Amino acid sequence: MIYLGFPYGSNFGWGVLGKEIALAMARLAEVRVVAPAKIDQRLDDEFERFALGQLLIDLDKVNSPFSRRIIHAAIGRSLEPFVPGLPTPAAVGYAVFEEDHLSPGAIAQARQAYQRIATASGYCAEVLRRHGLTDISVLPHGVDTARFRPRDEPRSLLADRFLIFSGGKFELRKGQDIVLRAYKVLQDRHKDVMLVPSWHNVWPKTRDTMAASTLIRYFPPKNDDHHAWVRALLASHGIDLDRVIPIGPRNHRLLPDLYHSTDLGLFPNRAEGGNNMVLMEYLACGKPALASFNSGHKDILRRQNAVLIESHRPLEFRVNGELLATWSEPSLDETVEKLEWCYQNREQLKSLGSQAAVDMRALSWARLAEGLLGLAQV
């Protein structure tokens, strides 16, 4: 029996990750998902909800003899196990984080909590090794290519427009300020471009990191009207709202329709500890992307499957004066230049999108589940 201490859910990265690992691993071995107390986790899909419900087990049913069979989510720079109270050391901790300055306490805890560590990106692996941990494996995220796949039929709505998709929760790390500035240039040059921002963020703490941006004038929402706030933010920077389609929270099953309704994904992210699941889903649909070539993006991107933003400078990320990370700041000038190239070279974009779909088929959730299972049985 393998015990998984992971979150699960439909509308946040760790939740999708935990859900997909659990369902994929259950096809390979006997698996139980430890249900943490007092954490609300929901699945939109009724069939997934039923299947995962068959795997749940209460924490008090897992005792110390099973510690060698536990695979834990190690979330964030603290590297803490997601489910407190599980026996330690767990066989594997799966760590994903964006901060590259880790405390001695976090490293000491990782040594105590996990026999070995896997992570989604070479970026995280390098950070952990730099801090003295040695038994590190890189297992990139997966993508559901049965759901996220190319379509032959062209879209029927706004077929005469060039729609630029920007996805990911709104925060400094995700680079929506770069999107806004780069899109503004294209908007002023070409009358047929439109922006499709999918920026919903339920965590004010991360959303408000955008206050550190030097590219835009950030102000937080005054209420829960996400669309009104996005429109106000864009309008305050000269964006024509008649050419914007803001997207709110959307059922995960409906995301392929959203991706296929656009022409290009723009992902100038400053840091990804994982591989950016929204980007992976977009690419799996055979859609071309313009994306920063840094951190976790490097594990899935190459010049043959995307247009890369390759010029960066260091950016220090501080909270209350404490240096938490040195991220990569993508060049705004290069982003604008290559965004214009994408607009002008749509046929070449199609070949990039086709290759991206092929590349994403190699990154299945089953492959990740097999990798974690193999580490737990070493």
Side-chain angles (χ1 to χ4, degrees):
M1 183 72 72
I2 297 293
Y3 296 91
L4 294 176
F6 276 75
Y8 58 88
S10 298
N11 297 308
F12 62 105
W14 268 107
V16 173
L17 175 73
K19 177 255 297 185
E20 294 289 359
I21 288 174
L23 295 178
M25 197 174 290
R27 293 188 281 270
L28 304 171
E30 284 192 84
V31 172
R32 292 293 181 268
V33 177
V34 183
K38 299 180 181 179
I39 294 181
D40 183 21
Q41 301 180 105
R42 301 181 183 181
L43 293 171
D44 292 333
D45 188 288
E46 293 85 353
F47 291 92
E48 290 179 339
R49 189 186 312 147
F50 179 85
L52 196 135
Q54 306 303 296
L55 306 178
L56 294 179
I57 187 173
D58 291 334
L59 177 61
D60 59 10
K61 301 288 180 60
V62 184
N63 50 49
S64 54
F66 296 119
S67 64
R68 293 181 181 273
R69 302 176 186 174
I70 293 171
I71 303 175
H72 236 310
I75 298 178
R77 68 188 295 264
S78 71
L79 301 178
E80 293 179 356
F82 174 68
V83 184
L86 273 174
T88 58
V92 184
Y94 191 63
V96 179
F97 52 88
E98 283 76 36
E99 299 83 357
D100 62 348
H101 295 256
L102 305 180
S103 71
I107 299 303
Q109 176 168 252
R111 293 183 191 277
Q112 185 274 329
Y114 318 111
Q115 292 180 312
R116 56 190 59 85
I117 295 179
T119 188
S121 67
Y123 166 80
C124 283
E126 190 277 329
V127 171
L128 293 172
R129 291 182 183 123
R130 196 171 70 233
H131 284 78
L133 298 175
T134 57
D135 195 353
I136 310 296
S137 301
V138 177
L139 297 174
H141 291 160
V143 62
D144 182 356
T145 54
R147 178 172 294 171
F148 299 97
R149 63 183 188 273
R151 294 179 182 174
D152 294 328
E153 63 276 11
R155 69 170 183 261
S156 57
L157 297 176
L158 302 172
D160 59 338
R161 304 293 185 94
F162 188 76
L163 272 61
I164 300 170
F165 171 76
S166 172
K169 61 184 187 295
F170 188 91
E171 58 179 306
L172 183 71
R173 181 175 65 81
K174 295 285 188 181
Q176 287 91 350
D177 53 339
I178 303 173
V179 171
L180 193 159
R181 287 287 301 277
Y183 171 78
K184 175 65 165 61
V185 175
L186 217 68
Q187 169 199 273
D188 294 346
R189 291 177 180 173
H190 308 290
K191 299 300 183 184
D192 60 339
V193 299
M194 297 183 68
L195 180 64
V196 183
S198 179
W199 294 346
H200 193 258
N201 187 347
V202 298
W203 293 283
K205 183 178 179 180
T206 59
R207 182 200 64 215
D208 292 346
T209 59
M210 193 62 84
S213 171
T214 60
L215 298 179
I216 65 171
R217 300 175 303 279
Y218 169 75
F219 54 85
K222 295 181 179 178
N223 51 46
D224 293 331
D225 192 335
H226 172 76
H227 283 179
W229 171 70
V230 169
R231 292 172 68 85
L233 182 70
L234 294 172
S236 71
H237 291 84
I239 302 301
D240 180 359
L241 297 184
D242 288 336
R243 294 157 64 182
V244 175
I245 304 176
I247 306 298
R250 178 170 287 213
N251 189 303
H252 196 242
R253 292 173 295 179
L254 303 179
L255 290 179
D257 291 336
L258 171 60
Y259 301 153
H260 282 291
S261 297
T262 62
D263 295 287
L264 177 74
L266 179 52
F267 298 90
N269 302 41
R270 294 179 169 97
E272 287 289 336
N275 314 113
N276 191 343
M277 281 190 279
V278 176
L279 171 59
M280 293 179 72
E281 292 169 354
Y282 197 83
L283 295 174
C285 287
K287 306 298 297 183
L290 169 58
S292 54
F293 191 63
N294 64 31
S295 56
H297 281 184
K298 285 187 173 183
D299 295 271
I300 63 168
L301 296 180
R302 54 197 184 98
R303 290 178 180 172
Q304 290 76 20
N305 67 16
V307 182
L308 306 181
I309 305 168
E310 299 179 83
S311 297
H312 301 83
R313 63 175 176 81
L315 175 71
E316 291 188 346
F317 174 62
R318 297 177 180 271
V319 174
N320 298 324
E322 179 185 2
L323 179 62
L324 300 187
T326 302
W327 290 337
S328 295
E329 175 80 1
S331 165
L332 176 58
D333 289 342
E334 184 184 358
T335 304
V336 171
E337 174 192 342
K338 290 189 172 177
L339 190 57
E340 176 69 28
W341 184 92
C342 293
Y343 177 85
Q344 299 290 351
N345 295 274
R346 303 182 201 186
E347 286 303 312
Q348 289 173 258
L349 286 183
K350 291 180 181 178
S351 64
L352 292 175
S354 297
Q355 184 60 52
V358 172
D359 291 350
M360 291 305 104
R361 285 201 290 272
L363 297 172
S364 67
W365 290 112
R367 174 207 48 80
L368 174 54
E370 288 168 0
L372 290 172
L373 191 59
L375 290 176
Q377 294 176 339
V378 170

